[in-house]
Amino acid sequence: MNTDVATIHQEITIADAIEHLKNNHKDDETANVIYVVATNNALIDDIPVRRLVLNNTDKKVTDILDGFCPSLTITETKEDAVEKFKQYDRVVLPVVNAENILLGVVTIDDILDVEEQANTREIQKIGGVEELDYPYVETPFFELLKKRASWLVILFLGEMLTATAMGYFDGEIEKAVVLALFVPLIISSGGNSGSQAATLIIRAMALKEIGLKDWWYVMRREILSGLSLGVVLGTIGLIRIAVWQNLHWYDYGQHWFLLAVTIFFSLIGIVMWGTFSGSMIPIVLKKCKIDPATSSAPFVATLVDVTGLVIYFTIASIILKGTIL
């Protein structure tokens, strides 16, 4: 907040106001808007400099007031200030206390700095990094390692559950080794779809496009999106197996069509689960008063990796039972 504010009283003429400003205020960014105050410095209104210049100097200040003067209170947060600047499209806003006494002003350049810092923190969290205390180039090497290592360790421990899931289905893999060929495909598709959904929802929440009350709308929309995307990816996977088999680029065995159907339905289920998880986790965290950005894309991808394997091998055991399983 800048306390160097250009103020005038409403009873004087525009000519007197201009003379007062020349004698009492310096030429800086805060003088773009002039504030009309009472004798006790209570805020009455604001006047852009252009309105003073373009009006007849014989008029009184009170004659050119419009009665609309948005302001910030001293108790509001930085985030509240950013929202008010967006709402009113102002380059400067006055700051008042509970008694409406003018304390100073906040200018748009300071708000842009605040927004940049907030966006940087959010992007770092979404990327699976603890927010940095200093710019990247100014962060000490070992401090940077510490910020990155904590999330990587957590994600690594989570990915260890993937090995556990693979071990649980080792019988199916032994009977049909061909199933293991598609594990990377399954894992990446589910993780990518979950990361997409999480990123979209986190950003939409940050921009106030959606709130907690919109969870049902988001869930329905993302499940439908997941179904549609899953059908697209599943169809591509099915066609890929059919082409490779019929062109003799790879032999998937006599039950290749059932394998292709397994991949088709597995991708539908996994992509639906990925979009559902990625969209709902940020909302749940917000409900628990935790920053939704902590549900980073790597975190969602790790979760979907583990559960995706369960979905894949479960569908495989149902469709391929009595054939290669």
Side-chain angles (χ1 to χ4, degrees):
M1 183 178 70
N2 191 330
T3 56
D4 185 14
V5 186
T7 60
I8 56 176
H9 295 297
Q10 61 180 341
E11 298 85 4
I12 62 177
T13 64
I14 293 178
D16 292 335
I18 293 175
E19 189 64 27
H20 170 78
L21 293 171
K22 287 180 179 179
N23 296 331
N24 294 279
H25 293 283
K26 59 185 179 180
D27 180 10
D28 62 19
E29 61 182 0
T30 63
N32 291 329
V33 178
I34 312 303
Y35 294 96
V36 182
V37 295
T39 53
N40 66 344
N41 213 42
L43 180 63
I44 297 174
D45 206 344
D46 60 356
I47 303 176
V49 169
R50 68 177 187 276
R51 199 184 303 167
L52 284 176
V53 174
L54 297 177
N55 269 282
N56 191 318
T57 56
D58 293 332
K59 285 184 178 180
K60 286 193 173 184
V61 171
T62 189
D63 296 330
I64 62 172
L65 302 182
D66 61 8
F68 179 68
C69 182
S71 62
L72 300 168
T73 61
I74 194 69
T75 56
E76 288 184 292
T77 65
K78 294 179 180 179
E79 290 74 20
D80 295 331
V82 171
E83 289 304 312
K84 282 197 174 181
F85 268 85
K86 290 179 181 178
Q87 180 181 354
Y88 296 112
D89 285 331
R90 297 296 182 103
V91 296
V92 59
L93 280 177
V95 181
V96 298
N97 62 14
E99 287 74 39
N100 201 42
I101 303 300
L102 180 63
L103 304 176
V105 294
V106 173
T107 54
I108 189 65
D109 57 329
D110 295 320
I111 289 299
L112 290 174
D113 290 340
V114 170
E115 188 75 339
E116 180 184 12
Q117 292 170 3
N119 289 339
T120 299
R121 288 195 300 269
E122 188 171 283
I123 291 171
Q124 288 168 350
K125 288 180 180 179
I126 291 175
V129 179
E130 286 187 39
E131 61 182 83
L132 302 181
D133 300 319
Y134 305 99
Y136 172 80
V137 295
E138 297 177 13
T139 303
F141 178 75
F142 289 105
E143 179 70 14
L144 189 62
L145 287 183
K146 186 175 72 172
K147 295 286 187 179
R148 298 171 67 174
S150 56
W151 261 110
L152 284 176
V153 169
I154 293 172
L155 295 173
F156 180 76
L157 293 175
E159 286 290 1
M160 289 176 66
L161 295 175
T162 303
T164 303
M166 291 282 288
Y168 183 80
F169 292 102
D170 61 347
E172 285 79 0
I173 295 175
E174 286 181 13
K175 295 177 184 177
V177 179
V178 69
L179 289 175
L181 297 176
F182 296 95
V183 168
L185 173 72
I186 295 297
I187 288 179
S188 63
S189 298
N192 291 340
S193 62
S195 299
Q196 273 189 346
T199 302
L200 290 172
I201 298 305
I202 290 170
R203 190 57 184 161
M205 294 178 73
L207 295 176
K208 306 286 194 259
E209 295 174 359
I210 58 173
L212 294 177
K213 67 181 187 314
D214 300 309
W215 70 271
W216 177 242
Y217 167 79
V218 172
M219 184 173 73
R220 286 183 296 136
R221 186 182 179 92
E222 287 304 313
I223 288 178
L224 182 59
S225 297
L227 175 61
S228 303
L229 294 170
V231 169
V232 171
L233 297 182
T235 301
I236 294 173
L238 188 150
I239 293 173
R240 190 266 191 198
I241 293 175
V243 170
W244 261 243
Q245 180 70 28
N246 287 283
L247 293 180
H248 306 293
W249 290 349
Y250 192 88
D251 184 13
Y252 292 107
Q254 61 177 324
H255 300 292
W256 66 267
F257 182 73
L258 287 179
L259 177 64
V261 171
T262 298
I263 298 303
F264 176 76
F265 284 107
S266 295
L267 282 169
I268 292 176
I270 289 165
V271 172
M272 284 181 64
W273 170 244
T275 56
F276 171 79
S277 302
S279 62
M280 289 295 103
I281 289 176
I283 293 177
V284 171
L285 291 176
K286 182 72 172 178
K287 180 67 175 177
C288 297
K289 302 192 182 305
I290 301 174
D291 187 352
T294 56
S295 59
S296 61
F299 174 76
V300 172
T302 300
L303 172 65
V304 177
D305 286 352
V306 178
T307 52
L309 286 174
V310 176
I311 294 173
Y312 174 46
F313 285 110
T314 299
I315 292 176
S317 64
I318 294 173
I319 295 178
L320 299 175
K321 186 176 182 180
T323 55
I324 61 176
L325 290 181

